[in-house]
Amino acid sequence: MSDVDLDSEQYQKHREAGEILATVREEAVDRIEVGASHLELVEHVEDRIRELGGQPAFPMNISIDEEAAHATPCIDDDSTFGEEMINIDIGVAVDGWLADSAITVDLSGNDELVEASAEALEAAIDTIEAGVDTALLGDIIGRTINGYGYNPVVNLTGHGLGHWEQHTTPNIPNRKVPQGTTLEVGDVVAIEPFATDGGGKVKEGSDEEIFALDQEKSIRDRQAREVLKQITDEFRTLPFATRWLDASRPKLALRRLKQQNIIHGYPVLKEQPGYYVSQKEHTVIVTEDGCEVTTR
Ligand code: MN
Ligand code: MN
């Protein structure tokens, strides 16, 4: 038997983050319709997270059609939803303890692709217990998606969630990748199958609206220094969006911080144009004989 205490404060905060996430994710899904504004949606969700006692663990992602991850509205974004495949990804932190969950809302008429990633997620969740090999989870995810005639996106994976750390070990592959890793009681992991009618490998695009701190260093430029102070005070090592910054010219400051290797960006990840990507993600706490989904 494991001596991890799943009732400790740390796990209670993971659960609290998960509950907030489930609430705001439902509100988000209800607001998605043709003509609705991307910027209004993310602002609603991020404000509600704060109202409910959490903090956004990363900027809410809205990925459309071939986009898979890391897309979020810019400061004066005027995009609205069309008849598209819309993938929303939300993170919540409570005192740095995280929850991460995503869902695809399809207005494009590709329900089977949405079902493929959703069923892959449920099949993986049903298989998780202490001692399970991550290669088995990847195999189940990949085979479930292949069963629908689609491909898993193989260069995106699930991941552990650390304190103030959005991506830690272990990684959970979306196909059978033997890595000699098993899950243990108390592991908090995000499982996130992506399914596509494309080739199954995403590439970096040129847009970049999300950044995170790498290392603190002194910097001469006053604006850049102010932005760095906001990052270290509010976001620490969690990802943030350009539109969250108080500076009057945030883009210039971000460019300076990047040049000094103080922050790095997350370019939008996408399939080839003309293809679609669906995603479903939940955060789970691994138990002796199963798992507890914190983001239902
Ligand atoms: Mn996510
Ligand atoms: Mn994730």
Side-chain angles (χ1 to χ4, degrees):
M1 289 294 282
S2 153
D3 55 6
V4 177
D5 178 9
L6 295 180
D7 294 324
S8 65
E9 204 183 336
Q10 150 185 3
Y11 290 103
Q12 297 301 359
K13 287 183 174 170
H14 273 297
R15 292 184 183 100
E16 207 183 309
E19 260 175 56
I20 294 170
L21 206 162
T23 303
V24 301
R25 189 191 57 224
E26 225 165 274
E27 292 180 9
V29 168
D30 285 345
R31 281 161 186 257
I32 293 175
E33 57 184 12
V34 172
S37 149
H38 290 197
L39 189 57
E40 278 174 26
L41 180 68
V42 297
E43 285 178 343
H44 169 82
V45 165
E46 292 166 1
D47 286 348
R48 282 286 286 151
I49 291 171
R50 296 183 189 104
E51 239 174 69
L52 294 170
Q55 145 181 23
F58 53 82
M60 177 177 169
N61 288 203
I62 299 179
S63 304
I64 303 293
D65 294 344
E66 78 270 20
E67 294 174 342
H70 300 167
T72 199
C74 62
I75 291 173
D76 49 6
D77 206 299
D78 59 3
S79 312
T80 55
F81 294 109
E83 289 174 352
E84 301 157 326
M85 180 160 291
I86 298 140
N87 179 354
I88 58 170
D89 196 340
I90 302 171
V92 176
V94 171
D95 293 334
W97 302 105
L98 307 178
D100 183 4
S101 174
I103 192 166
T104 298
V105 176
D106 180 48
L107 305 179
S108 73
N110 285 285
D111 343 342
E112 290 250 310
L113 187 58
V114 175
E115 250 175 68
S117 52
E119 196 183 316
L121 175 62
E122 290 311 317
I125 287 172
D126 286 347
T127 312
I128 293 176
E129 60 179 349
V132 72
D133 196 309
T134 56
L136 175 62
L137 299 176
D139 191 28
I140 285 169
I141 290 169
R143 279 192 292 118
T144 305
I145 292 170
N146 289 149
Y148 279 82
Y150 297 119
N151 289 315
V153 174
V154 296
N155 57 340
L156 292 174
T157 67
H159 51 91
L161 291 165
H163 196 211
W164 296 106
E165 261 190 290
Q166 173 60 23
H167 286 103
T168 62
T169 54
N171 92 48
I172 318 290
N174 286 325
R175 63 168 166 176
K176 186 178 181 179
V177 181
Q179 22 183 36
T181 308
T182 54
L183 298 185
E184 302 310 331
V185 173
D187 282 353
V188 180
V189 291
I191 312 292
E192 49 183 311
F194 291 82
T196 181
D197 55 351
K201 262 196 181 163
V202 291
K203 288 195 177 132
E204 291 186 352
S206 50
D207 291 351
E208 205 172 60
E209 284 293 331
I210 301 178
F211 300 87
L213 180 68
D214 276 328
Q215 52 174 334
E216 267 185 77
K217 275 201 278 187
S218 65
I219 183 155
R220 287 178 77 90
D221 181 75
R222 190 179 53 83
Q223 278 259 341
R225 222 167 36 231
E226 279 174 24
V227 168
L228 180 58
K229 185 173 185 322
Q230 187 182 2
I231 295 168
T232 54
D233 286 352
E234 285 182 37
F235 322 130
R236 303 199 195 192
T237 46
L238 294 175
F240 60 90
T242 312
R243 59 185 164 76
W244 287 359
L245 299 172
D246 298 331
S248 54
R249 300 179 66 190
K251 282 187 181 170
L252 192 63
L254 289 171
R255 207 175 317 145
R256 295 233 157 90
L257 292 170
K258 242 180 99 169
Q259 280 163 354
Q260 299 293 316
N261 298 315
I262 294 172
I263 60 169
H264 68 274
Y266 293 88
V268 173
L269 299 174
K270 39 176 137 181
E271 258 288 350
Q272 302 295 323
Y275 295 103
Y276 293 97
V277 178
S278 75
Q279 177 198 15
K280 197 159 186 196
E281 178 181 28
H282 274 305
T283 296
V284 309
I285 301 171
V286 179
T287 61
E288 202 69 54
D289 56 1
C291 71
E292 180 187 334
V293 181
T294 63
T295 48
R296 277 280 189 223

